[in-house]
Amino acid sequence: MSKLPKDAALKDLTRKSALKKSALKKNADKKRGAKKKDADGAAPGPVAAPAQTPVPPVPPMALGASPAVLDRLWSVVMSRRNADPSVSHSARLLSRGTAKIAQKFGEEAVECLIEATRGEREALIAESADVLYHLLVMWVDAGVRSEEVWAELQRREGISGIAEKASRVRQLPMSFGLRTTKIP
């Protein structure tokens, strides 16, 4: 094969990559603050969330990879609760109910386990992202805020996992009115 077609293919791939990055940047810019105008040319007003669960504003996109993406993703899923299921995957999942959301989370968790046991690192990363997304959808469905989970993790920080689990086992029989900490 001659060198010219290879070089042309490489240039085409580089051009496509640059176009993709440009499109991603434009989308990020829109999310950061560019307001869309409605049919009358006016910028839309703020959309109020239901009073029982305030939705925090979506934080600005972080530069580089960061755990803050989970809070942003949670905010996006929250904002999709009442969206049209035909245009939003999150809205579609939420409209199907808790059982379907839990089923989908379970499917993604199993796929993640499969990739881990296969030793497929890249596939494990992709499936892990799917698991986290579907976990966030489950939290939104259950009315769990991400900061509540972060607070629980912070509460457990510095506590031995063995000691923390043992404390839950002791509490379980007591919560059922049993007078013993031993599980029968």
Side-chain angles (χ1 to χ4, degrees), residues 34-106:
K35 295 191 177 202
K36 294 181 179 177
K37 294 184 178 182
D38 63 16
D40 298 330
V47 177
Q52 76 273 13
T53 311
V55 178
V58 176
M61 293 190 62
L63 298 174
S66 163
V69 71
L70 293 173
D71 285 325
R72 290 193 306 274
L73 182 55
W74 180 87
S75 294
V76 168
V77 174
M78 276 295 284
S79 73
R80 300 297 198 273
R81 287 179 305 168
N82 299 316
D84 181 357
S86 68
V87 297
S88 166
H89 181 64
S90 297
R92 185 178 312 131
L93 282 170
L94 290 164
S95 72
R96 291 179 177 170
T98 304
K100 187 64 175 177
I101 293 166
Q103 176 189 352
K104 191 67 178 153
F105 173 76

Side-chain angles (χ1 to χ4, degrees), residues 10-41:
L10 182 60
K11 284 180 183 178
D12 187 49
L13 183 60
T14 304
R15 185 181 57 79
K16 285 180 182 176
S17 177
L19 289 173
K20 192 174 194 177
K21 283 181 185 176
S22 175
L24 289 173
K25 185 179 181 321
K26 284 180 185 177
N27 285 340
D29 290 344
K30 284 181 184 177
K31 288 180 183 178
R32 272 193 226 116
K35 295 191 177 202
K36 294 181 179 177
K37 294 184 178 182
D38 63 16
D40 298 330

